[in-house]
Amino acid sequence: MSEPAAEPRAEGRLRGAWTGVLRGAARVDDVTPADRDRAVDALRAFAVVAVVLGNWMVTALVADGQDGLRTASPLHYMSWLAPISWVFQTFAVLFLVGGHLATRSHASARARGMTYRQWLLSRLSHLFKPVAAVLTLWTVTSVLLLISGTDMDTVHTLLELALSPLCLVLVLAALTAVTPLLLTLNPLWPLAVVLHVDLLRFGLGGPPWLGWVNVAAGWLVPYTLGAAWTRGELERRRAGWILLTGGAAATAALVAWASYPAAMAGVPGAGISNLAPPTLAAVTFGLAQCGLALLLRGPLRRAMRRPLAWAAVALLNLSAITLFLWHQTALMATTATGLTAGHLPGLHTLPDHLVWVAARLAWLPLFTLALALCWTTFRGCEQGPRRSTRRRSRVVRSHPAARGSDAKEHHHA
């Protein structure tokens, strides 16, 4: 007799919860200024999610006989999976948005009489608080692992993977610091540097270390495209189509006739990596991605008019840096925990078969849960102290997605 009565109550609770979600989304939508370019937030959110999912799919921690761990990639054993990296390697979009927001922020700060030092400290403090948390935890973890007898190679593997997201954040911080010098820089200049570096490295037998010049020059290309966006030079759809078609054609030519790897992600054991350091192929591929991002601005603006979609994007942007910095830690925490049950397929096994891909897809929900735990623990480093329950409806107001132009840019460092 009690079961039929329980069903309507459960249905009522679900309906009430969904109504609460819709009301919360409507509040976030209401407090967002009408002149907010929501497409910028959407591009940043989608790019971060793509990088997280892509890294989870192409990064394997293989357990050897002594329970040590080493990195491997399904792209090494199944090179035909390279298109996965074309979809999920979206670093260029992150730098495009970063350059756009930084140059817009700098112009706003100058208009308000803010000094360069004040502006830079404001932006970098937002970046480096989450970074400090990652460095602190992994310093302690490394010491504990070494004390417990974990071999040095395994500790090095874990550290390299955990700290790899920091490289991108540090490059973004460096480019932010020199933003005033980049306000009018034509993207063709850093692109020319990348071209000549690769010619020296691969064509004339130059030293391999020369490639690290491209860490700055390569990401300068989309960053300065972001500055051009701020200047209003990329508003016409023609600019997006030129970047998309030209970048895609150049990338295809480099892969087909210049022996660049097809995978746009790092592949352990490969002779040449398109990302470590960035190659000309990675940069031209990034141009194509930036072109596509510019073309998607209109559809994204229309999609973000829906309160639920906009609330999800705004909330994700609140913790974008935290999610990016901790996603590899979430993968490793799940992998280490799973070792207690043996060598599990898709988690500790060699990624050399489609069975591994299917198994890895099944692990993604657990990676997401581990990342959610990291987010719960460390989001305060990015968001600041939690507000009271009565003020949670002000999530967008406390996040620059809905405040004035100066606050908007501050968050989007």
Side-chain angles (χ1 to χ4, degrees):
M1 294 293 291
S2 61
E3 290 183 3
E7 291 179 4
R9 286 199 297 270
E11 184 179 347
R13 285 194 293 270
L14 289 173
R15 187 180 296 112
W18 179 245
T19 301
V21 169
L22 293 178
R23 287 175 179 171
R27 286 196 294 270
V28 172
D29 185 65
D30 289 341
V31 300
T32 303
D35 61 349
R36 176 70 176 178
D37 189 353
R38 302 184 182 192
V40 178
D41 299 83
L43 285 172
R44 185 174 188 250
F46 294 154
V48 169
V49 170
V51 169
V52 169
L53 292 176
N55 282 342
W56 284 349
M57 285 304 301
V58 303
T59 304
L61 283 169
V62 180
D64 59 28
Q66 291 75 39
D67 289 332
L69 295 171
R70 59 182 177 86
T71 55
S73 173
L75 299 176
H76 178 74
Y77 298 95
M78 297 174 282
S79 57
W80 51 270
L81 290 176
I84 291 177
S85 66
W86 305 347
V87 176
F88 292 106
Q89 195 276 84
T90 51
F91 292 149
V93 177
L94 291 174
F95 280 99
L96 172 74
V97 172
H100 174 56
L101 291 168
T103 49
R104 195 172 69 181
S105 171
H106 182 263
S108 175
R110 288 189 63 184
R112 300 192 313 274
M114 201 173 185
T115 66
Y116 166 75
R117 182 175 180 275
Q118 291 171 328
W119 171 79
L120 184 62
L121 288 177
S122 174
R123 294 187 69 79
L124 294 189
S125 65
H126 176 73
L127 278 176
F128 287 144
K129 287 178 182 178
V131 167
V134 174
L135 288 175
T136 301
L137 181 136
W138 274 100
T139 298
V140 174
T141 301
S142 300
V143 171
L144 293 177
L145 288 173
L146 291 172
I147 292 174
S148 67
T150 306
D151 67 276
M152 181 62 76
D153 289 340
T154 296
V155 174
H156 178 267
T157 296
L158 297 177
L159 272 178
E160 186 177 33
L161 197 57
L163 301 183
S164 59
L166 296 184
C167 298
L168 194 77
V169 174
L170 292 177
V171 173
L172 182 58
L175 295 182
T176 300
V178 296
T179 292
L181 303 177
L182 307 176
L183 295 177
T184 59
L185 181 66
N186 192 307
L188 290 177
W189 288 109
L191 180 61
V193 172
V194 175
L195 170 62
H196 284 84
V197 166
D198 274 19
L199 281 175
L200 289 173
R201 278 202 299 162
F202 304 133
L204 301 176
W209 59 262
L210 191 62
W212 293 103
V213 173
N214 285 350
V215 172
W219 299 128
L220 255 179
V221 175
Y223 194 87
T224 50
L225 276 174
W229 179 0
T230 301
R231 297 193 300 269
E233 298 174 6
L234 303 178
E235 291 305 314
R236 299 179 63 181
R237 289 183 62 82
R238 179 184 176 186
W241 281 113
I242 290 174
L243 288 170
L244 174 58
T245 56
T251 306
L254 289 169
V255 171
W257 295 309
S259 300
Y260 281 86
M264 294 299 155
V267 180
I272 300 175
S273 169
N274 273 323
L275 280 187
T279 64
L280 181 61
V283 174
T284 57
F285 177 76
L287 290 175
Q289 283 188 321
C290 290
L292 180 60
L294 294 172
L295 292 171
L296 289 176
R297 286 177 297 179
L300 286 174
R301 285 167 185 148
R302 292 189 291 271
M304 291 300 108
R305 292 173 189 164
R306 301 173 181 175
L308 196 60
W310 168 240
V313 165
L315 288 171
L316 196 152
N317 270 280
L318 271 173
S319 303
I321 297 173
T322 299
L323 295 174
F324 177 72
L325 287 176
W326 290 97
H327 75 278
Q328 296 287 43
T329 298
L331 181 150
M332 287 183 287
T334 306
T335 303
T337 303
L339 275 175
T340 59
H343 295 179
L344 302 175
L347 200 60
H348 311 109
T349 54
L350 200 65
D352 59 352
H353 197 277
L354 276 178
V355 173
W356 184 94
V357 176
R360 175 51 62 101
L361 288 171
W363 284 108
L364 293 184
L366 281 180
F367 294 162
T368 304
L369 177 60
L371 183 55
L373 292 175
C374 293
W375 170 79
T376 301
T377 305
F378 297 104
R379 61 177 175 168
C381 299
E382 182 174 0
Q383 298 178 15
R386 292 188 63 184
R387 298 170 181 256
S388 65
T389 304
R390 292 176 60 188
R391 300 175 67 186
R392 284 184 191 174
S393 63
R394 301 179 61 191
V395 60
V396 177
R397 224 172 307 166
S398 66
H399 175 331
R403 285 191 283 169
S405 62
D406 55 327
K408 292 181 212 174
E409 276 80 348
H410 168 70
H411 177 82
H412 285 292

